[in-house]
Amino acid sequence: MTDPTSPDVQAARRRTFAIISHPDAGKTTLTEKFLLYAGAIQEAGAVKAQAGRRRATSDWMALEQQRGISISSTVLQFDYRDHVVNLLDTPGHRDFSEDTYRVLAAADAAIMVLDSARGVEPQTLKLFEVCRSRRLPVLTFLNKMDRPGLEPLALLDEVEQQIGLRPTPVTWPVGDPGSFRGVIDRRNGAFVRFTRTERGSTAAGETPLSAAEAADELGAPWARAADECALLDEVGAVVDRKSFLAGESTPVFVGSAITNFGVRHLLDAVIDLAPAPSAQLDATDQPRPLDAPCSGFVFKVQANMNPAHRDHVAFVRVCSGHFERGMTLVHQPSGKPFATKYASSVFGSERTTVDEAWPGDVIGLVNASGLRIGDSLYLEQPVTFPRIPAFPPELIASAYSKDVSRHKQFRRGLEQLEQEGVVQVLHRRNDPQPVLAAVGQMQFEVFAHRMANEFNAPVEMGSYSQRTVRLTDEATAEELRGYSVVQVLERGDGALLAMFESPYFMARMEADHPEWMLEPILTT
Ligand code: G4P
């Protein structure tokens, strides 16, 4: 008998993953279809309606609507095949790749969604690279097969060449791009016929046929797909769980989220192929056993998600033990107790109180203004999980309060948005005027919008400029201060950042002074 109160047993039932995609590739649609297949919603359309309500109730989410982008991440939990699935949403634009990176720190796997008509788009390549750099297992979904698109083999080539993951197709399309007939499941050679349903509001009609029946019914398109599968077999493009778990190969699924096609194969793969939560390594590379007392780390902080509750939510990934609401955890950086009276799960702006959680689950701790991204929390046995690395910013801009009498609001907003990681806030030595740094320009837009709307402190942004940034130390900073092509700025956490006017100057100095500290990745 398995003991349902054992963290090992509960962890084995869980799958915690994120979907990453470029905007419009179909992430929202796919998420919704997962909920439909899991029975968490009865009819497709609910998530969009939910998103509509969410946008209507939040000031800064209005910006998402204006720009047609998703900035905030949502965590969804649902049951499927006797498992608990935690789906972490990520923003779809490269300008927010740092946010994606933090979310991926809390995920055990990712699904990469590509629009099969567009392939790997340069603006989102960075998001996918982030995934690979974390060595996360990645499942790939080639979406929108119901429309004319690129040849599937060309798409595999893009995944291999541009992202550096070896694609291993599990399902393969039958029919020309634009006249999609269904998929071959390469694991058993069977064919599943594609039947168009009206916007896929209910589960797709899936008719399984044997290879012989499919060959009879489809003729040439079947023969072509079967030939392609034979070629794939020949080059060894078959699912290999070991290299998938090591983040080297990616099982590929094809389908059409809007018509639900291929959604079930993909969701089944989350259960069958993606890893369950396992012992998380701490900052000294020691594993925290799943059955150790409760512990977790903050991977996202968000304030004012809903103007009706001007509050501060810290999202925590549970790493070990059994979380029970009301328990008092220790906040590792301060050593102070943190009472978890208000723990919730967040679905858009809707909150549900969470009474318990297990490894792999995400809890939203409300009123958590003392918690920062990367902070660890634990019960009884201390643990420090590794900090989440920050990206080197690529852009800097100055920001001034438009109204000097709103100085206090300006400071408060600056502090809050820095804490959430919306932008990095830097200072030159002996200069109180902040310099904002970001990976992408849209971060500045979100900053300015939220300053005006949430903190009532409209800002004037100076012009943006590009920089090549390295983390440095005091000794190197002293040397660098003698040059005009580089500026040294200090971040709130005391880190010193060297900002070069061009990568050329940086490369020169690195080559001339190998003894200087100039590190590319900046830990928070
Ligand atoms: P995102 O979250 O990745 O940004 O993408 P989203 O799901 O919002 O999908 C973007 C657009 O692509 C939507 O159309 C959606 O209906 C469409 N789409 C998603 N999956 C498929 C698919 O498999 N096939 C086809 N043909 N289209 C797909 P829209 O016109 O922007 O919105 P809507 O009016 O359909 O809601």
Side-chain angles (χ1 to χ4, degrees):
M1 274 290 285
T2 47
D3 173 9
T5 62
S6 141
D8 289 289
V9 170
Q10 290 291 345
R13 290 180 60 218
R14 280 164 165 76
R15 298 291 181 273
T16 302
F17 72 102
I19 300 184
I20 54 168
S21 70
H22 24 250
D24 279 347
K27 183 173 48 142
T28 314
T29 311
L30 184 64
T31 301
E32 183 174 63
K33 299 309 168 73
F34 278 167
L35 295 175
L36 183 73
Y37 274 81
I41 56 171
Q42 301 315 315
E43 209 178 309
V47 174
K48 283 243 156 114
Q50 188 91 28
R53 272 213 300 286
R54 185 180 71 197
R55 283 171 184 146
T57 55
S58 167
D59 288 342
W60 64 275
M61 285 178 190
L63 181 69
E64 295 186 352
Q65 201 171 21
Q66 278 166 27
R67 301 291 311 248
I69 50 167
S70 162
I71 298 163
S72 57
S73 298
T74 314
V75 184
L76 299 173
Q77 189 180 65
F78 55 89
D79 292 336
Y80 183 67
R81 281 180 37 195
D82 208 24
H83 285 70
V84 178
V85 178
N86 293 302
L87 168 50
L88 316 180
D89 192 13
T90 56
H93 194 283
R94 77 177 285 282
D95 281 10
F96 304 109
S97 42
E98 195 164 13
D99 197 29
T100 299
Y101 194 79
R102 294 183 201 121
V103 172
L104 292 180
D108 297 318
I111 294 181
M112 171 169 78
V113 181
L114 299 181
D115 178 335
S116 52
R118 308 179 76 107
V120 177
E121 294 176 65
Q123 67 148 330
T124 38
L125 191 54
K126 190 160 185 158
L127 294 178
F128 303 148
E129 280 171 347
V130 159
C131 224
R132 204 196 35 165
S133 72
R134 292 201 61 90
R135 300 226 151 256
L136 263 192
V138 178
L139 297 167
T140 300
F141 187 60
L142 304 179
N143 192 26
K144 305 199 185 180
M145 280 286 164
D146 56 301
R147 288 203 319 209
L150 303 173
E151 287 294 334
L153 285 171
L155 287 164
L156 296 190
D157 193 47
E158 286 198 6
V159 170
E160 176 130 33
Q161 299 302 325
Q162 300 197 35
I163 301 167
L165 283 170
R166 189 162 51 82
T168 58
V170 177
T171 57
W172 192 249
V174 181
D176 294 324
S179 70
F180 179 51
R181 311 290 293 272
V183 297
I184 300 181
D185 186 332
R186 292 185 63 223
R187 290 165 295 191
N188 55 19
F191 174 70
V192 183
R193 190 200 285 137
F194 165 68
T195 323
R196 229 171 241 274
T197 58
E198 189 43 44
R199 294 192 65 85
S201 62
T202 53
E206 293 168 29
T207 320
L209 298 178
S210 69
E213 288 167 323
D216 262 1
E217 182 180 309
L218 299 166
W222 172 265
R224 188 168 152 224
D227 281 353
E228 285 170 342
C229 285
L231 283 178
L232 290 170
D233 289 342
E234 213 176 284
V235 298
V238 284
V239 174
D240 164 29
R241 190 143 189 268
K242 194 161 158 240
S243 63
F244 159 62
L245 294 180
E248 292 160 9
S249 71
T250 176
V252 178
F253 295 79
V254 298
S256 153
I258 195 94
T259 51
N260 301 354
F261 209 74
V263 170
R264 191 190 302 280
H265 281 113
L266 185 62
L267 188 52
D268 282 339
V270 169
I271 306 295
D272 298 331
L273 292 176
S278 58
Q280 190 89 23
L281 294 181
D282 70 12
T284 60
D285 276 346
Q286 294 302 309
R288 171 86 167 180
L290 291 169
D291 61 1
C294 184
S295 66
F297 63 88
V298 178
F299 65 95
K300 185 172 178 66
V301 166
Q302 203 160 55
N304 307 336
M305 285 175 75
N306 182 340
H309 333 238
R310 291 254 166 207
D311 58 10
H312 193 114
V313 183
F315 291 90
V316 175
R317 146 110 189 192
V318 178
C319 299
S320 66
H322 183 200
F323 169 82
E324 289 173 284
R325 187 167 64 85
M327 103 194 322
T328 299
L329 298 171
V330 179
H331 175 230
Q332 187 276 330
S334 65
K336 289 191 181 145
F338 184 89
T340 60
K341 193 166 158 204
Y342 302 104
S344 60
S345 71
V346 182
F347 184 108
S349 65
E350 316 272 312
R351 304 230 175 112
T352 326
T353 300
V354 163
D355 288 320
E356 61 167 8
W358 298 95
D361 290 343
V362 170
I363 47 177
L365 296 177
V366 185
N367 293 341
S369 53
L371 304 190
R372 289 176 163 261
I373 293 166
D375 287 358
S376 302
L377 294 154
Y378 62 83
L379 184 71
E380 292 158 16
Q381 280 174 21
V383 63
T384 309
F385 292 109
R387 304 300 298 179
I388 300 176
F391 277 30
E394 291 165 19
L395 292 174
I396 59 167
S398 43
Y400 306 89
S401 177
K402 271 189 183 159
D403 177 349
V404 278
S405 69
R406 305 211 148 268
H407 186 70
K408 228 166 73 194
Q409 287 88 336
F410 180 79
R411 288 274 140 217
R412 202 156 51 83
L414 200 63
E415 196 182 317
Q416 174 60 42
L417 298 182
E418 178 188 23
Q419 209 181 49
E420 285 184 40
V422 172
V423 289
Q424 296 185 30
V425 179
L426 313 173
H427 284 95
R428 292 190 187 86
R429 208 158 56 170
N430 306 324
D431 183 355
Q433 184 58 42
V435 174
L436 307 185
V439 176
Q441 180 184 322
M442 270 196 224
Q443 286 179 259
F444 293 138
E445 292 178 31
V446 172
F447 171 82
H449 185 90
R450 292 187 61 184
M451 286 296 278
N453 289 278
E454 280 168 39
F455 299 95
N456 211 357
V459 291
E460 181 80 51
M461 301 289 296
S463 58
Y464 311 149
S465 49
Q466 200 86 33
R467 289 290 184 274
T468 300
V469 178
R470 290 291 181 268
L471 180 68
T472 188
D473 58 10
E474 191 46 65
T476 306
E478 228 12 80
E479 303 281 350
L480 294 173
R481 286 190 182 104
Y483 293 84
S484 58
V485 292
V486 56
Q487 283 186 48
V488 178
L489 291 113
E490 187 170 345
R491 209 167 48 187
D493 60 2
L496 292 174
L497 306 191
M499 306 214 151
F500 295 87
E501 281 190 15
S502 102
Y504 169 77
F505 294 122
M506 202 270 306
R508 280 295 305 274
M509 288 192 199
E510 242 176 356
D512 292 349
H513 302 281
E515 72 285 7
W516 287 359
M517 178 184 157
L518 294 169
E519 291 202 358
I521 285 281
L522 318 172
T523 303
T524 53

